[in-house]
Amino acid sequence: MAVTTVFAAGISSCSDNDDPKVENATLTVSNIYPEGFVEGEKTVESVSMVFTELNTREVTTYTSAEAAASSWTVSLPAGLYDYTGVIDYKITLSDGNEKPMRLRCVGNSVTVTGSSTISPEWFNISGGNQNDPEDDKSGLVISEIYAAGSLNAAGTGGVRDAFIRIYNNSDKVQYADGLGIVESDFVNAKTNDYEILTPANDRAKNFTVGTVWVIPGSGKDVPVNPGEYITVADQAIDWSAQVANALDLTGADFEWYDDHAMDTDNPAVPNLDKWFCYSRTIWIMSNQCNRSYAIVRFPEGMTSEKYLAEYKGEYDYINSLGSQMHKAAAYLIPNEWIIDGVNLSDNESFVRGALSVAVDASFAAISDKARDPNRFGHKFIRKTAVTTADSRVILQDTDNSADDFTLVNAR
């Protein structure tokens, strides 16, 4: 095995682990790697394991070459932890060129006390270093999500000035015709931490969705130039005419319209095609920001009729009271169809994302507490990774929304 490391080893933490009042624990990490990783010839460029204690929010980062070994140990303050790991490496192809690769592992709510052991399962994700402009992840990404909406005039909730913005993160024209925009059926919160019994709804296999909207077009009707975006709104109207500080969305490129008395259609803005929605009235994005969203490229030749006939996602589950239940109004999106996905939640309620950890390793947080009224008027935006010499912005896309997104005022 040829393994070369080109980074420094070390542990960093935002707390003093030598404090005598803090009980330290020894954690053994027994890695489970994809077939061929351990024996294969490669150059390991960076390794990082990040442990976050859920009660104190203290973070310990481990960046040793040892972390790429099959088994290693680390000393941590005793507690309850989430962890993420990333290994960037390169392999040499048959033509002599090097290809960047990346492994990731994710773990949630792990108790570390005394002598403990975890067995992270590492998986390949596409791309290598997503912040390298020479290695950017070609295609479309979700650049902004505004789900909470602006605070209504009564100060009791949000209005429907919600939108999703889709950005061309590549250096080539991308076409959004036929692109699916979907919302999870599963909720990323403790109150909906159900045990899913149906194998097809396993997050590692499929994304279970409650809405499927599709951008119309015949192939090249909706071009998105490099560094530009399209905006898809709930209602493409000027909300500021009704509520001070709300958004004017009349400039949106598309809107989702439910053809229902409760909805408002702007005839000047094209409507999305609705393939499926769980609601019998209108669909509103979760203003609690506790679901997951993805953009999807369907296989060639896929139609709404074919999709609805072949990808039903009804499932059995055990609810929080221990009762077995059945959910019929859901559909499946195979993970390989997903171009980009984002888990949303608040820090207090989050249990796990509805998306596979291969799509999103964590979540973007709307607030520390559930139902925090301060969430209204705030949107998620993707961070800038780098600006190229020709002024094109490349957005950060590490498939980890906790790192990739930040929360800003929607105005």
Side-chain angles (χ1 to χ4, degrees):
M1 177 176 67
V3 178
T4 305
T5 56
V6 291
F7 56 92
I11 296 178
S12 63
S13 175
C14 62
S15 64
D16 184 358
N17 292 353
D18 293 327
D19 186 336
K21 293 179 289 185
V22 178
E23 177 192 352
N24 272 21
T26 299
L27 178 66
T28 299
V29 181
S30 296
N31 293 306
I32 302 172
Y33 287 120
E35 184 177 356
F37 174 76
V38 175
E39 297 81 6
E41 293 198 1
K42 57 190 175 291
T43 301
V44 177
E45 296 201 310
S46 64
V47 176
S48 176
M49 286 284 288
V50 179
F51 299 91
T52 303
E53 209 289 316
L54 300 183
N55 297 303
T56 64
R57 308 307 299 179
E58 293 178 351
V59 176
T60 302
T61 302
Y62 192 77
T63 57
S64 170
E66 228 180 74
S70 295
S71 182
W72 52 280
T73 60
V74 60
S75 179
L76 294 171
L80 184 67
Y81 284 86
D82 283 353
Y83 65 83
T84 60
V86 173
I87 298 176
D88 283 317
Y89 66 103
K90 289 183 178 180
I91 59 174
T92 303
L93 304 177
S94 57
D95 60 5
N97 291 320
E98 288 187 318
K99 179 181 179 180
M101 303 289 290
R102 172 169 284 182
L103 295 180
R104 171 174 284 138
C105 71
V106 177
N108 298 112
S109 300
V110 175
T111 299
V112 177
T113 182
S115 295
S116 303
T117 300
I118 59 172
S119 298
E121 186 170 355
W122 295 78
F123 50 88
N124 285 295
I125 62 174
S126 58
N129 186 355
Q130 304 299 331
N131 296 334
D132 182 348
E134 301 302 320
D135 184 35
D136 85 87
K137 194 173 186 177
S138 296
L140 302 170
V141 297
I142 297 170
S143 61
E144 297 185 23
I145 300 178
Y146 188 38
S150 300
L151 192 64
N152 64 22
T156 57
V159 300
R160 293 170 55 190
D161 55 346
F163 68 85
I164 295 176
R165 190 158 280 164
I166 300 168
Y167 181 83
N168 182 356
N169 212 30
S170 76
D171 61 357
K172 300 177 179 62
V173 176
Q174 303 288 326
Y175 294 92
D177 307 54
L179 191 73
I181 302 170
V182 299
E183 181 187 66
S184 67
D185 179 74
F186 300 160
V187 177
N188 308 328
K190 294 176 183 177
T191 53
N192 293 79
D193 184 25
Y194 301 152
E195 179 187 355
I196 308 301
L197 302 177
T198 307
N201 301 87
D202 183 344
R203 295 168 175 83
K205 298 176 182 177
N206 296 294
F207 184 34
T208 303
V209 299
T211 60
V212 182
W213 296 90
V214 178
I215 295 175
S218 57
K220 292 190 175 181
D221 295 328
V222 191
V224 186
N225 292 319
E228 296 184 358
Y229 57 79
I230 57 174
T231 301
V232 181
D234 183 344
Q235 293 183 6
I237 63 176
D238 183 3
W239 286 94
S240 66
Q242 302 179 30
V243 182
N245 296 319
L247 304 183
D248 179 358
L249 295 178
T250 53
D253 298 282
F254 295 93
E255 64 178 0
W256 58 85
Y257 174 63
D258 284 287
D259 194 16
H260 188 277
M262 295 174 62
D263 211 352
T264 300
D265 184 28
N266 180 350
V269 176
N271 294 325
L272 299 179
D273 294 333
K274 181 166 73 171
W275 283 17
F276 175 73
C277 183
Y278 66 88
S279 174
R280 295 181 181 273
T281 55
I282 57 174
W283 174 59
I284 302 173
M285 295 181 76
S286 169
N287 74 27
Q288 294 181 45
C289 301
N290 58 10
R291 293 184 186 256
S292 301
Y293 299 89
I295 52 176
V296 175
R297 185 67 73 186
F298 295 98
E300 186 175 354
M302 183 62 68
T303 63
S304 61
E305 294 80 10
K306 181 178 175 65
Y307 175 75
L308 294 176
E310 297 181 2
Y311 291 91
K312 293 180 179 178
E314 59 184 275
Y315 59 92
D316 295 316
Y317 64 98
I318 306 294
N319 67 13
S320 56
L321 300 176
S323 300
Q324 182 166 335
M325 308 292 288
H326 181 77
K327 179 67 177 288
Y331 276 80
L332 300 176
I333 297 291
N335 287 336
E336 57 267 26
W337 294 1
I338 297 174
I339 296 174
D340 186 38
V342 180
N343 294 315
L344 304 182
S345 184
D346 61 86
N347 286 319
E348 180 182 53
S349 299
F350 182 76
V351 175
R352 63 179 58 81
L355 288 159
S356 162
V357 291
V359 177
D360 189 358
S362 187
F363 69 100
I366 188 66
S367 60
D368 285 333
K369 299 292 184 180
R371 298 178 180 269
D372 186 340
N374 291 321
R375 72 185 185 277
F376 296 114
H378 289 87
K379 66 180 179 179
F380 298 94
I381 64 169
R382 191 179 287 272
K383 299 173 184 176
T384 296
V386 69
T387 302
T388 64
D390 60 357
S391 299
R392 180 171 64 88
V393 171
I394 297 177
L395 300 179
Q396 181 171 301
D397 185 14
T398 67
D399 296 323
N400 187 342
S401 290
D403 294 335
D404 291 344
F405 283 84
T406 190
L407 198 64
V408 301
N409 193 301
R411 297 288 297 186

